[in-house]
Amino acid sequence: MAQPAPAAAITHRLVPSPAGRIHVVEQGSGPLVLLVHGFPESWYSWRRQLPVLAAAGYRAVALDVRGYGRSSKPTDVAAYRMLELVEDNVAVVHALGERTAVIVGHDWGATIAANSALVRPEVFRAVGLLSVPYAPRGGPRPGEVFARMGGEEEFYVSYFQEPGRAEAEIEPDVRGWLAGFYAALSAGTMPPAGAPDPHFVSRGGRLRDRFPAGRLPAWLDGDDLDVYAAEFERTGLTGALNRYRNMDRDWEDLAGIDGAPVTQPSLFAGGALDASTTWMADAIAAYPATLPGLMSSHVLDGCGHWIQQERPDEVNEILTGWLAALPA
């Protein structure tokens, strides 16, 4: 009896980029699909997508965004502005010997993916967005908007702005902080309706004061948590947090594409229990204008923020179906 073909091996490599180096994890061969993670994650958040995409005939490549994992970590806060991250993605595509790629992002990675498609459409021929809907650049300066949110409380994006402040909360117990943050935004462990919202900080308090205690979400076992914790214990959180510290710079840098739609073939998938989906319901409703190339849109019932880890089988089916339907 013929034996099934062995699964393609996973390959780690470092490739040059404007950041210095980007760590990529590759599996499979075929059309390139670039996978971009969010906060506070790493390439490892795509561990359940890489083999499935490879088996479906794609060259699946997950990267560590600059500031994370084995990628370079510039010291200048401004080095984490959106345009720099877009150019890292372009550099990865070219370093892999390709001219074009499909780009898929989760959380901050979704925003990075959308802007990569906007700024470098000749490189990124299609874009998939997970958890964070696309909303065109526009409106008031983001820092001013976030500062007004929450009333007597402080929105987490504002809390992250001052260098060193969030780090002082996280660094003494990186593993415990990550466990609480992941649980706070996961189906099954997020605080119940009416409980204090973990996206906000009481004046003088800490973000972790509202995290669930002592419970890991179903998608995250102790070994997975150890992988994430080990990376951030080694690198610190500053590079990851610096992404939030560039939102006003991004608003200035991207003024030339104010209101621009993403016209490439696109995909959106979010969790019904994710605040990103519910708070940005108007952005999803605007997709006929803002994502005119949208091929499919999905909101998964009973799913939180970490969609490709919480519901890997459904997300893999969505991704492979969409990729197969893309124009050649």
Side-chain angles (χ1 to χ4, degrees):
M1 180 181 295
Q3 296 297 313
I10 286 182
T11 302
H12 292 253
R13 70 168 86 175
L14 300 174
V15 301
S17 82
R21 69 175 184 273
I22 294 293
H23 172 227
V24 300
V25 181
E26 178 178 357
Q27 191 168 10
S29 59
L32 177 60
V33 181
L34 189 64
L35 304 169
V36 187
H37 68 80
F39 175 90
E41 301 176 278
S42 73
W43 75 267
Y44 190 72
S45 66
W46 301 104
R47 64 195 178 279
R48 296 188 174 99
Q49 282 67 54
L50 287 166
V52 173
L53 295 179
Y58 299 95
R59 186 182 186 186
V61 176
L63 55 79
D64 282 335
V65 174
R66 72 165 65 186
Y68 288 81
R70 293 170 58 191
S71 294
S72 290
K73 299 158 192 65
T75 56
D76 183 8
V77 173
Y80 296 84
R81 67 208 311 153
M82 183 61 67
L83 290 178
E84 297 274 5
L85 303 183
V86 169
E87 291 308 309
D88 284 346
N89 292 339
V90 172
V92 168
V93 173
H94 292 163
L96 295 174
E98 304 285 354
R99 296 177 60 189
T100 64
V102 175
I103 188 167
V104 179
H106 170 256
D107 182 74
W108 262 121
T111 304
I112 296 167
N115 280 287
S116 296
L118 280 167
V119 175
R120 298 298 299 268
E122 77 283 6
V123 176
F124 299 105
R125 62 185 182 90
V127 57
L129 310 175
L130 303 184
S131 296
V132 174
Y134 174 61
R137 186 268 185 208
R141 184 178 293 272
E144 297 172 358
V145 174
F146 296 130
R148 293 196 296 267
M149 295 178 65
E152 292 301 311
E153 298 180 333
E154 186 176 17
F155 192 47
Y156 79 101
V157 175
S158 296
Y159 180 72
F160 286 167
Q161 292 304 303
E162 181 185 342
R165 185 183 179 197
E167 289 93 326
E169 171 185 336
I170 300 167
E171 291 291 346
D173 178 20
V174 171
R175 190 179 192 277
W177 193 91
L178 290 173
F181 191 81
Y182 296 145
L185 305 185
S186 295
T189 51
M190 63 177 57
D197 191 330
H199 295 89
F200 293 86
V201 181
S202 300
R203 297 295 173 180
R206 304 171 303 169
L207 198 64
R208 70 182 302 159
D209 293 339
R210 298 184 177 184
F211 292 169
R215 295 180 64 198
L216 289 182
W219 60 268
L220 183 73
D221 64 24
D223 291 340
D224 292 328
L225 180 58
D226 286 344
V227 172
Y228 284 122
E231 288 292 82
F232 287 112
E233 286 167 353
R234 180 175 58 82
T235 65
L237 270 291
T238 296
L241 289 162
N242 280 345
R243 174 82 290 272
Y244 292 91
R245 296 165 183 160
N246 278 278
M247 297 179 78
D248 283 349
R249 289 188 183 92
D250 297 340
W251 183 79
E252 296 168 356
D253 289 345
L254 300 173
I257 54 172
D258 187 82
V262 174
T263 58
Q264 291 97 319
S266 57
L267 161 77
F268 172 74
L273 302 180
D274 185 2
S276 298
T277 303
T278 56
W279 289 349
M280 299 184 71
D282 289 348
I284 296 173
Y287 278 170
T290 61
L291 289 180
L294 185 68
M295 296 171 62
S296 63
S297 182
H298 311 262
V299 176
L300 305 188
D301 290 339
C303 183
H305 182 66
W306 317 103
I307 183 170
Q308 80 270 31
Q309 298 180 89
E310 290 189 49
R311 304 283 275 276
D313 292 343
E314 288 170 78
V315 169
N316 289 340
E317 184 176 353
I318 289 168
L319 286 175
T320 54
W322 172 65
L323 289 166
L326 289 174

